[in-house]
């Protein structure tokens, strides 16, 4: 998101931290967990890397503290508060075209047992104007997915 603009229909989830201003980019994701009948033994967020500038880029997947937002309405000004880091990982130019699996098991179980909705934010770790990552969005070629294994339940 950037200032008052919304990019919910883009083909890519774009992240960049430019130390404020209109050049920061964060990407928000949300999923409904109401169909989960039991806790996950493993849960992964799978993202496909479209492009990377100035490799490597350190990325954080963080909890979003409020699920009261929607894809078409969130922007930099009204973005929900972010919580603690779920996972940190590094994306390099070698990852372009590849799918990365990020472990979100504990957070998925926490949210399943809570309000039944899990919201995430992707962001770069630290300010660097030249480092930007694009992941495929649900409108893109390889939509993000959450794979959940409940041990056969």
């Amino acid at each position: 998101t950037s200032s008052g603009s919304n990019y919910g229909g883009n083909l890519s989830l774009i992240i960049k931290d430019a130390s404020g201003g209109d050049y920061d980019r964060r990407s928000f994701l949300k999923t409904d967990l109401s169909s989960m009948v039991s806790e996950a033994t493993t849960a992964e967020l799978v993202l496909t890397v479209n492009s990377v500038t100035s490799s490597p880029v350190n990325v954080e997947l963080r909890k979003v503290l409020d699920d009261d937002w929607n894809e078409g309405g969130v922007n930099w000004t009204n973005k929900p508060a972010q919580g603690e880091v779920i996972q940190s990982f590094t994306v390099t130019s070698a990852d372009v075209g590849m799918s990365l699996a990020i472990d979100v098991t504990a957070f998925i179980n926490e949210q399943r047992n809570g309000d039944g909705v899990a919201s995430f934010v992707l962001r770069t770790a630290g300010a660097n104007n030249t480092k930007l990552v694009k992941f495929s969005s649900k409108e893109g070629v390889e939509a993000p997915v959450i794979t959940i294994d409940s041990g056969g339940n």
Side-chain angles (χ1 to χ4, degrees):
T1 58
S2 174
S3 294
S5 300
N6 174 277
Y7 300 96
N10 280 10
L11 298 177
S12 294
L13 301 169
I14 303 171
I15 61 170
K16 178 181 180 180
D17 190 341
S19 298
D22 283 343
Y23 300 105
D24 283 347
R25 301 289 186 267
R26 295 195 181 139
S27 290
F28 292 83
L29 301 101
K30 185 189 316 190
T31 190
D32 180 0
L33 304 172
S34 62
S35 64
M36 285 182 66
V37 295
S38 62
E39 286 200 350
T41 54
T42 59
E44 295 178 324
L45 172 63
V46 181
L47 300 166
T48 300
V49 180
N50 284 350
S51 66
V52 180
T53 60
S54 300
S55 175
V57 180
N58 295 320
V59 177
E60 293 178 343
L61 178 68
R62 290 178 168 260
K63 298 177 180 182
V64 170
L65 301 177
D66 182 359
D67 298 316
D68 189 24
W69 61 274
N70 66 66
E71 180 181 3
V74 69
N75 60 50
W76 190 261
T77 305
N78 68 8
K79 67 186 182 300
Q82 63 187 16
E84 65 190 52
V85 174
I86 298 169
Q87 291 288 335
S88 297
F89 56 100
T90 301
V91 179
T92 70
S93 55
D95 295 319
V96 173
M98 305 294 287
S99 292
L100 304 177
I102 301 111
D103 182 9
V104 294
T105 308
F107 184 59
I108 290 295
N109 285 331
E110 174 187 309
Q111 295 304 297
R112 176 198 170 267
N113 295 327
D115 66 1
V117 177
S119 292
F120 309 89
V121 61
L122 283 162
R123 60 171 293 167
T124 56
N128 189 319
N129 292 336
T130 63
K131 297 196 177 201
L132 178 139
V133 180
K134 292 182 180 180
F135 298 100
S136 186
S137 72
K138 70 176 183 154
E139 292 81 9
V141 176
E142 296 288 334
V145 295
I146 294 181
T147 60
I148 298 174
D149 182 358
S150 296
N153 296 327

